[in-house]
């Protein structure tokens, strides 16, 4: 069925875009050449198909003893790539994110294995009765949550279900790696390390993923774990021609004619972008939603361009292939399904829903019916987007776009996975708030969004969450405790998790709560839906969900319910009771104030109150405002407690013109729910709480923090949800807090200077403005209201980065004293300086180096007899620039510097002399004596720097140059000081870096224990 013809027949206006076909490179080798038994499997059609190059490269790499990272799109045969190696008797453990969503892979692997006499078994918490089969299997399929729980039992007691297989495995496969968040990746890395310690066999590791932003780093981690070379292999997916349709409305020409009658009135409220769209119907179609909202704001009635997805989707029931319809929630999936059954009962056997609330056996049956061509329309919120191969999927329909491009691509990867499919289709109905906002700026922006760089999977070898789990694991085992590193033991002590040879009370709680998908006990919170016809138990919710989404009065879209009460045992919440949203009278007591405010707001907007209507139209949802207590400085425990819950009601849009553009602000009201909150959630992560300049502009700093997140997403591919921030004040005291909700180590590891430079060169586009709205709607409102000044927003983003750079810390140890100091940064406003004077007969050469926390600048000044023949003005300018910007000069021995400068550069001498009594210079020599006794400068500075050149090397080179000049004449000093020049510059570069760190070290000592340090 051709969707273009269908939409035209139904009088819909739409935007069409054609994506070219693509396919992986092929080898001159078929599956039957290396796996002849495949002809006897359900995938026998692959027998005569040629292998893709990335599949063959994977097999060869694994056979040569390497690890593999295979990065290839959906439908590119990643499963077959490793199986063609494992089929030769290699015991393989395969880890999928969840086995409930891996029915296709499990079935496929069992089919392949049976064909060659191998056994493939699946094991998770739902299959524990089959544990006896594990030891005899050749391929074991599991999920990371079960593997981690089982591994904890290996050292703390309990049945060791997977241990026997793990200690004898040859290959560990981690599939769908892009599914995991940074915290999960940290735990996966730890689990691999621990499996290597436990296993006498040096197993290989294969990671399969559609995208990985930094595969080289992950490759380095794998090689470090097992000592094997890691090969990174990239492949393209198989994709036939794809036709994209964005459905805009129905019979737009009538609306266009009406708009032209009110052209002058509309133009008075709009920018140039709208004006250009009124006279051209094709441009009008693209800007329809923008013009529609302006007309509504002005009270101009336009013919309704009503879009009914059911009218279109129902026609696909008689198509030859399968259509998957993705929705934003379980609620909307079930609502669509019910409408289709009600309005088109004749196709009931062709339509099904698929999500985690559908019974597992029923889901498997639905997948089978779809593969057999009986079910033609599958409706799903997300479960079908990850790892399931239905087969003849020819079309993806998006009822509202997902919040991330990665999820959009995962959805799209479900179709066109068979070579006989001539072309595929993507149909987008922009009905949700996110894509509505995109369309308010034109369909071209929607297309631009879908083609953005994918969000990367964050991998960080130094993530301290990994260290935390590994340290706890080793501490729990008498055997492994001896293998603990000093860093691991120190972390447990610093976090107060151990005392002597025992776990503290906190340590025991942390060990219990360290689980894969959530830092919480390994059991959930009960959820009950109490309807008039009885009580039904819904799937449990997590402890984080309780805090963030399930407070009294909150709306649960997955069950179409409202939370009526929290079940408690003492101070702990054990369950959540909901009632159907269609039965509001049962929560009138809990929501009395909220419902009164709701009615008041609706009437003020000139609209009729209807909670159900606003809920179904996506204009009403709930939010919980949490009090977040992040770590103060680096890695530590953060806590999240629910403070207040609100209903959030979205009203009509109103236009604001800024420059040539028309922007839209949606009226939004938060209606407080006056009810008790309950529950708390905590976990370990990275964060900073930074006291700000009392004169700081809090509004613009908040906008700057949002812009920082935008730059991280658009430039570095980092998911918008990777960082959370807040700004607050009490009186004149102001605070900025920033933390990682899912521990990645970004705040500690990110090259913030590079981020800072990227912000300054960043050119925002329409996607940037939409992301600002997505990240922080209040910041977006202030930004638009202030005229959408991106230059000012970027300056405050830089300011936010400067605060972060000033707060980042690195560990330093001098003479047994351990201190954590801020990482060097220009934001600290310190300039370290050192000099070296070299004297030959008739020639004096002065070297000056300065370090501002980011870069070293070195210069040379030369005086022949009485004439200054060379003067590096850049060094002088850098010193002056730093002083003008409020920097403090750091010097080890400032008097010595002045004395070395005096005979060579008069201007620099008087500059330094003028600084001596100004209070702008911090001299370290006397302070070092007071703290450490009387060490040599070289001893102290050597502890702080990477000593590339020792002083003796400089003196030796001076001697060599002096001998040559005495023979050849001092006038030829340029010819015989090249090596000396190089040595001195490297020597001073290390010196100024070390002086900088020494200054920070002393400052931190004074802050941490001022009573022990004599004052100057």
């Amino acid at each position: 069925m051709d969707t273009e013809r269908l939409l035209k027949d139904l009088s819909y206006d739409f935007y069409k875009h054609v994506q070219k076909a693509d396919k992986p490179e092929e080898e001159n080798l078929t599956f039957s050449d290396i796996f002849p038994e495949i002809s006897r499997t359900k995938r026998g059609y692959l027998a005569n198909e040629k292998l893709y190059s990335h599949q063959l490269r994977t097999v060869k790499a694994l056979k040569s003893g390497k690890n593999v990272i295979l990065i290839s799109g959906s439908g590119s045969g990643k499963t077959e790539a490793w199986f063609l190696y494992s089929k030769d008797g290699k015991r393989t453990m395969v880890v999928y994110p969840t086995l409930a969503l891996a029915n296709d892979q499990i079935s496929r692997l069992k089919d392949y294995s049976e064909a060659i006499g191998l056994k493939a078994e699946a094991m998770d918490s739902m299959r524990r009765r089959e544990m006896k089969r594990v030891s005899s299997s050749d391929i074991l399929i599991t999920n990371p949550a079960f593997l981690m729980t089982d591994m904890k039992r290996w050292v703390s007691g309990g049945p060791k279900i997977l241990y026997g297989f793990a200690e004898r495995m040859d290959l560990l496969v981690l599939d769908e790696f892009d599914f995991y968040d940074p915290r999960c990746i940290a735990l996966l890395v730890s689990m691999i390390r621990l499996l290597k310690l436990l296993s006498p066999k040096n197993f290989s590791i294969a990671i399969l993923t559609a995208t990985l932003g930094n595969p080289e780093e992950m490759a380095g981690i794998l090689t470090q774990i097992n000592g094997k070379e890691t090969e990174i292999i990239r492949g393209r997916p198989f994709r036939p021609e794809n036709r994209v349709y964005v459905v805009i409305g129905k019979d737009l020409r009538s609306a266009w004619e009406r708009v032209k009658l009110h052209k002058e009135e509309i133009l008075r409220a709009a920018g140039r972008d709208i004006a250009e769209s009124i006279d051209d119907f094709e441009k009008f179609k693209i800007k329809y939603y923008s013009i529609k909202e302006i007309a509504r704001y002005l009270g101009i009635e336009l013919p309704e361009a009503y879009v009914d997805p059911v009218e279109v989707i129902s026609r696909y029931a008689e198509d030859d292939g399968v259509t998957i319809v993705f929705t934003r929630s379980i609620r909307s999936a079930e609502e669509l399904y019910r409408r289709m059954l009600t309005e088109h009962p004749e196709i009931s056997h062709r339509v099904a829903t698929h999500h985690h609330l559908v019974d597992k056996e029923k889901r498997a049956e639905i997948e089978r019916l779809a593969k057999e061509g009986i079910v033609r329309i599958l409706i799903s919120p997300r479960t079908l987007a990850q790892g399931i191969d239905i087969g003849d999927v020819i079309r993806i329909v998006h009822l509202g776009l997902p919040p991330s491009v990665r999820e959009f691509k995962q959805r799209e990867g479900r179709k066109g996975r068979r070579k006989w499919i001539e072309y595929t289709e993507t149909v987008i109905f922009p009905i949700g708030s996110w894509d509505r906002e995109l369309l308010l700026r034109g369909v071209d922006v929607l297309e631009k969004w879908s083609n953005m760089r994918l969000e990367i999977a964050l991998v960080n070898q130094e993530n301290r969450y990994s260290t935390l789990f590994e340290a706890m694991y080793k501490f729990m085992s008498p055997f492994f405790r001896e293998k603990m590193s000093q860093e691991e033991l120190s972390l447990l002590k610093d976090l107060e998790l151990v005392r002597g040879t025992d776990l503290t009370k906190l340590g025991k709680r942390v060990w219990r709560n360290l689980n894969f998908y959530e830092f919480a006990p390994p059991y959930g919170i009960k959820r009950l839906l109490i309807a008039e016809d009885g009580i039904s138990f819904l799937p449990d919710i997590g402890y984080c969900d309780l805090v963030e989404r399930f407070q009294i009065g909150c709306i649960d879209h997955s069950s179409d319910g409202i939370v009526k009460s929290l079940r408690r045992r003492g101070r702990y919440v054990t369950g959540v009771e909901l009632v159907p949203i269609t039965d509001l009278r049962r929560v009138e007591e809990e929501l009395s104030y909220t419902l009164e405010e709701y009615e008041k707001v609706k009437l003020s907007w000139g609209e009729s109150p209807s909670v159900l209507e606003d809920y179904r139209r996506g204009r009403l949802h709930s939010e919980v405002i949490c009090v977040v207590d992040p770590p103060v400085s680096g890695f530590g425990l953060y806590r999240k407690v629910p403070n207040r819950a609100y209903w959030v009601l979205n009203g009509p849009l109103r236009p604001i013109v800024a420059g040539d553009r028309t922007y839209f602000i949606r009226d939004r009201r938060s209606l407080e729910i006056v009810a008790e909150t309950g529950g708390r959630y905590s976990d370990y992560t990275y964060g900073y709480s930074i006291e700000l300049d009392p004169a700081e502009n809090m509004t613009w700093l908040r906008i700057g923090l949002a812009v920082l997140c935008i730059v991280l997403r658009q430039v570095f591919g980092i998911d918008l949800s990777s960082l959370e921030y807040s700004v607050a004040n009490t009186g004149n005291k102001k605070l900025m807090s920033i933390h990682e909700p899912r521990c990645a180590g970004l705040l500690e590891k990110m090259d913030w200077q590079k981020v800072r430079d990227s912000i300054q060169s960043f050119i925002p586009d329409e996607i940037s403005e939409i992301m600002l709205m997505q990240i922080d709607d209040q910041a977006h409102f202030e930004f638009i209201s202030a005229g959408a000044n991106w230059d000012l927003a970027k300056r405050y983003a830089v300011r936010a980065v400067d605060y972060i750079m000033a707060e980042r810390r690195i560990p330093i140890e001098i003479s047994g004293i351990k201190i954590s100091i801020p990482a060097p940064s220009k934001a600290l406003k310190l300039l370290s300086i050192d000099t070296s004077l070299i004297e030959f007969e008739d020639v004096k050469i002065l070297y000056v180096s300065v370090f501002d926390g980011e870069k070293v600048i070195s210069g040379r000044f030369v005086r022949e007899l009485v004439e200054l023949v060379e003067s590096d003005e850049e060094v002088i300018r850098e010193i002056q620039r730093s002083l003008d910007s409020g920097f403090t000069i750091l010097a080890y021995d400032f008097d010595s510097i002045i004395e070395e400068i005096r005979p060579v550069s008069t201007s620099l001498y008087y500059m330094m002399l003028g600084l001596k009594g100004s209070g702008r210079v911090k001299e370290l020599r006397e302070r070092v004596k007071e703290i450490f006794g009387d060490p040599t400068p070289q001893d102290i500075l050597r502890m702080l720097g990477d000593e590339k050149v020792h002083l003796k090397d400089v003196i030796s080179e001076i001697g060599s140059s002096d001998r040559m000049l005495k023979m050849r004449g001092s006038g030829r000093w340029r010819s015989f000081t090249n090596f000396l020049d190089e040595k001195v510059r490297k020597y001073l570069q290390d010196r100024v870096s070390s002086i900088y760190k020494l200054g920070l070290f002393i400052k931190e000592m004074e802050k941490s224990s001022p009573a022990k340090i004599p004052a100057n």
Side-chain angles (χ1 to χ4, degrees), residues 251-264:
D251 192 18
L252 291 183
R253 193 166 289 276
S254 297
W256 182 51
E257 295 295 340
R258 178 78 170 167
V259 163
K260 288 194 293 183
L261 294 175
H262 295 271
K263 178 178 177 180
E264 295 302 321

PDB file of all heavy atoms in Angstrom, residues 251-264:
ATOM      1  N   ASP A 251      -7.155  19.176   4.386  1.00  0.00           N
ATOM      2  CA  ASP A 251      -7.767  20.280   3.653  1.00  0.00           C
ATOM      3  C   ASP A 251      -7.212  21.625   4.121  1.00  0.00           C
ATOM      4  O   ASP A 251      -7.946  22.508   4.558  1.00  0.00           O
ATOM      5  CB  ASP A 251      -9.293  20.250   3.805  1.00  0.00           C
ATOM      6  CG  ASP A 251      -9.965  21.218   2.820  1.00  0.00           C
ATOM      7  OD1 ASP A 251      -9.297  21.611   1.837  1.00  0.00           O
ATOM      8  OD2 ASP A 251     -11.132  21.586   3.046  1.00  0.00           O
ATOM      9  N   LEU A 252      -5.892  21.788   4.026  1.00  0.00           N
ATOM     10  CA  LEU A 252      -5.247  23.024   4.468  1.00  0.00           C
ATOM     11  C   LEU A 252      -5.538  24.205   3.544  1.00  0.00           C
ATOM     12  O   LEU A 252      -5.364  25.357   3.942  1.00  0.00           O
ATOM     13  CB  LEU A 252      -3.725  22.824   4.546  1.00  0.00           C
ATOM     14  CG  LEU A 252      -3.213  21.894   5.653  1.00  0.00           C
ATOM     15  CD1 LEU A 252      -1.691  21.865   5.633  1.00  0.00           C
ATOM     16  CD2 LEU A 252      -3.696  22.351   7.017  1.00  0.00           C
ATOM     17  N   ARG A 253      -5.946  23.934   2.317  1.00  0.00           N
ATOM     18  CA  ARG A 253      -6.159  25.037   1.376  1.00  0.00           C
ATOM     19  C   ARG A 253      -7.279  25.969   1.847  1.00  0.00           C
ATOM     20  O   ARG A 253      -7.178  27.191   1.680  1.00  0.00           O
ATOM     21  CB  ARG A 253      -6.460  24.487  -0.020  1.00  0.00           C
ATOM     22  CG  ARG A 253      -6.383  25.534  -1.121  1.00  0.00           C
ATOM     23  CD  ARG A 253      -6.348  24.890  -2.490  1.00  0.00           C
ATOM     24  NE  ARG A 253      -5.091  24.219  -2.745  1.00  0.00           N
ATOM     25  CZ  ARG A 253      -4.000  24.825  -3.201  1.00  0.00           C
ATOM     26  NH1 ARG A 253      -4.015  26.124  -3.436  1.00  0.00           N
ATOM     27  NH2 ARG A 253      -2.908  24.154  -3.428  1.00  0.00           N
ATOM     28  N   SER A 254      -8.298  25.403   2.482  1.00  0.00           N
ATOM     29  CA  SER A 254      -9.372  26.255   3.011  1.00  0.00           C
ATOM     30  C   SER A 254      -8.838  27.169   4.107  1.00  0.00           C
ATOM     31  O   SER A 254      -9.192  28.349   4.188  1.00  0.00           O
ATOM     32  CB  SER A 254     -10.511  25.386   3.575  1.00  0.00           C
ATOM     33  OG  SER A 254     -11.089  24.612   2.538  1.00  0.00           O
ATOM     34  N   ALA A 255      -7.966  26.604   4.949  1.00  0.00           N
ATOM     35  CA  ALA A 255      -7.366  27.416   6.015  1.00  0.00           C
ATOM     36  C   ALA A 255      -6.478  28.504   5.412  1.00  0.00           C
ATOM     37  O   ALA A 255      -6.446  29.645   5.903  1.00  0.00           O
ATOM     38  CB  ALA A 255      -6.554  26.527   6.949  1.00  0.00           C
ATOM     39  N   TRP A 256      -5.772  28.178   4.346  1.00  0.00           N
ATOM     40  CA  TRP A 256      -4.882  29.147   3.682  1.00  0.00           C
ATOM     41  C   TRP A 256      -5.676  30.330   3.130  1.00  0.00           C
ATOM     42  O   TRP A 256      -5.283  31.493   3.288  1.00  0.00           O
ATOM     43  CB  TRP A 256      -4.108  28.433   2.580  1.00  0.00           C
ATOM     44  CG  TRP A 256      -3.131  29.300   1.850  1.00  0.00           C
ATOM     45  CD1 TRP A 256      -2.174  30.098   2.390  1.00  0.00           C
ATOM     46  CD2 TRP A 256      -3.006  29.433   0.440  1.00  0.00           C
ATOM     47  NE1 TRP A 256      -1.448  30.727   1.404  1.00  0.00           N
ATOM     48  CE2 TRP A 256      -1.948  30.331   0.188  1.00  0.00           C
ATOM     49  CE3 TRP A 256      -3.683  28.874  -0.661  1.00  0.00           C
ATOM     50  CZ2 TRP A 256      -1.548  30.686  -1.101  1.00  0.00           C
ATOM     51  CZ3 TRP A 256      -3.281  29.215  -1.933  1.00  0.00           C
ATOM     52  CH2 TRP A 256      -2.230  30.119  -2.147  1.00  0.00           C
ATOM     53  N   GLU A 257      -6.790  30.019   2.473  1.00  0.00           N
ATOM     54  CA  GLU A 257      -7.622  31.090   1.920  1.00  0.00           C
ATOM     55  C   GLU A 257      -8.136  32.004   3.032  1.00  0.00           C
ATOM     56  O   GLU A 257      -8.189  33.228   2.877  1.00  0.00           O
ATOM     57  CB  GLU A 257      -8.811  30.483   1.150  1.00  0.00           C
ATOM     58  CG  GLU A 257      -8.421  29.677  -0.085  1.00  0.00           C
ATOM     59  CD  GLU A 257      -7.783  30.534  -1.174  1.00  0.00           C
ATOM     60  OE1 GLU A 257      -7.974  31.767  -1.154  1.00  0.00           O
ATOM     61  OE2 GLU A 257      -7.078  29.960  -2.045  1.00  0.00           O
ATOM     62  N   ARG A 258      -8.481  31.433   4.154  1.00  0.00           N
ATOM     63  CA  ARG A 258      -8.972  32.227   5.280  1.00  0.00           C
ATOM     64  C   ARG A 258      -7.855  33.115   5.847  1.00  0.00           C
ATOM     65  O   ARG A 258      -8.077  34.277   6.187  1.00  0.00           O
ATOM     66  CB  ARG A 258      -9.480  31.267   6.361  1.00  0.00           C
ATOM     67  CG  ARG A 258      -9.971  31.935   7.623  1.00  0.00           C
ATOM     68  CD  ARG A 258     -11.337  32.513   7.455  1.00  0.00           C
ATOM     69  NE  ARG A 258     -11.896  32.936   8.731  1.00  0.00           N
ATOM     70  CZ  ARG A 258     -12.962  33.698   8.846  1.00  0.00           C
ATOM     71  NH1 ARG A 258     -13.599  34.125   7.763  1.00  0.00           N
ATOM     72  NH2 ARG A 258     -13.418  34.065  10.031  1.00  0.00           N
ATOM     73  N   VAL A 259      -6.650  32.587   5.927  1.00  0.00           N
ATOM     74  CA  VAL A 259      -5.513  33.346   6.445  1.00  0.00           C
ATOM     75  C   VAL A 259      -5.224  34.550   5.556  1.00  0.00           C
ATOM     76  O   VAL A 259      -4.939  35.652   6.049  1.00  0.00           O
ATOM     77  CB  VAL A 259      -4.273  32.439   6.571  1.00  0.00           C
ATOM     78  CG1 VAL A 259      -2.989  33.267   6.701  1.00  0.00           C
ATOM     79  CG2 VAL A 259      -4.417  31.502   7.758  1.00  0.00           C
ATOM     80  N   LYS A 260      -5.299  34.375   4.257  1.00  0.00           N
ATOM     81  CA  LYS A 260      -4.998  35.480   3.337  1.00  0.00           C
ATOM     82  C   LYS A 260      -5.981  36.639   3.524  1.00  0.00           C
ATOM     83  O   LYS A 260      -5.615  37.797   3.326  1.00  0.00           O
ATOM     84  CB  LYS A 260      -5.015  34.982   1.891  1.00  0.00           C
ATOM     85  CG  LYS A 260      -3.803  34.112   1.559  1.00  0.00           C
ATOM     86  CD  LYS A 260      -3.631  33.887   0.072  1.00  0.00           C
ATOM     87  CE  LYS A 260      -4.734  33.050  -0.515  1.00  0.00           C
ATOM     88  NZ  LYS A 260      -4.522  32.778  -1.956  1.00  0.00           N
ATOM     89  N   LEU A 261      -7.198  36.331   3.951  1.00  0.00           N
ATOM     90  CA  LEU A 261      -8.176  37.396   4.199  1.00  0.00           C
ATOM     91  C   LEU A 261      -7.789  38.245   5.412  1.00  0.00           C
ATOM     92  O   LEU A 261      -8.198  39.395   5.534  1.00  0.00           O
ATOM     93  CB  LEU A 261      -9.571  36.790   4.416  1.00  0.00           C
ATOM     94  CG  LEU A 261     -10.208  36.095   3.201  1.00  0.00           C
ATOM     95  CD1 LEU A 261     -11.527  35.444   3.592  1.00  0.00           C
ATOM     96  CD2 LEU A 261     -10.420  37.094   2.058  1.00  0.00           C
ATOM     97  N   HIS A 262      -7.008  37.680   6.319  1.00  0.00           N
ATOM     98  CA  HIS A 262      -6.596  38.375   7.550  1.00  0.00           C
ATOM     99  C   HIS A 262      -5.087  38.622   7.562  1.00  0.00           C
ATOM    100  O   HIS A 262      -4.492  38.714   8.637  1.00  0.00           O
ATOM    101  CB  HIS A 262      -6.998  37.546   8.774  1.00  0.00           C
ATOM    102  CG  HIS A 262      -8.471  37.391   8.951  1.00  0.00           C
ATOM    103  ND1 HIS A 262      -9.243  38.272   9.671  1.00  0.00           N
ATOM    104  CD2 HIS A 262      -9.329  36.444   8.463  1.00  0.00           C
ATOM    105  CE1 HIS A 262     -10.504  37.877   9.650  1.00  0.00           C
ATOM    106  NE2 HIS A 262     -10.589  36.768   8.923  1.00  0.00           N
ATOM    107  N   LYS A 263      -4.509  38.752   6.375  1.00  0.00           N
ATOM    108  CA  LYS A 263      -3.056  38.849   6.263  1.00  0.00           C
ATOM    109  C   LYS A 263      -2.495  40.007   7.085  1.00  0.00           C
ATOM    110  O   LYS A 263      -1.545  39.833   7.863  1.00  0.00           O
ATOM    111  CB  LYS A 263      -2.665  39.002   4.795  1.00  0.00           C
ATOM    112  CG  LYS A 263      -1.170  39.166   4.566  1.00  0.00           C
ATOM    113  CD  LYS A 263      -0.860  39.260   3.078  1.00  0.00           C
ATOM    114  CE  LYS A 263       0.629  39.494   2.842  1.00  0.00           C
ATOM    115  NZ  LYS A 263       0.951  39.584   1.394  1.00  0.00           N
ATOM    116  N   GLU A 264      -3.041  41.206   6.924  1.00  0.00           N
ATOM    117  CA  GLU A 264      -2.483  42.375   7.608  1.00  0.00           C
ATOM    118  C   GLU A 264      -2.564  42.221   9.126  1.00  0.00           C
ATOM    119  O   GLU A 264      -1.629  42.568   9.849  1.00  0.00           O
ATOM    120  CB  GLU A 264      -3.229  43.642   7.159  1.00  0.00           C
ATOM    121  CG  GLU A 264      -3.053  43.979   5.691  1.00  0.00           C
ATOM    122  CD  GLU A 264      -1.581  44.153   5.327  1.00  0.00           C
ATOM    123  OE1 GLU A 264      -0.830  44.734   6.148  1.00  0.00           O
ATOM    124  OE2 GLU A 264      -1.177  43.707   4.241  1.00  0.00           O
TER     125      GLU A 264
END
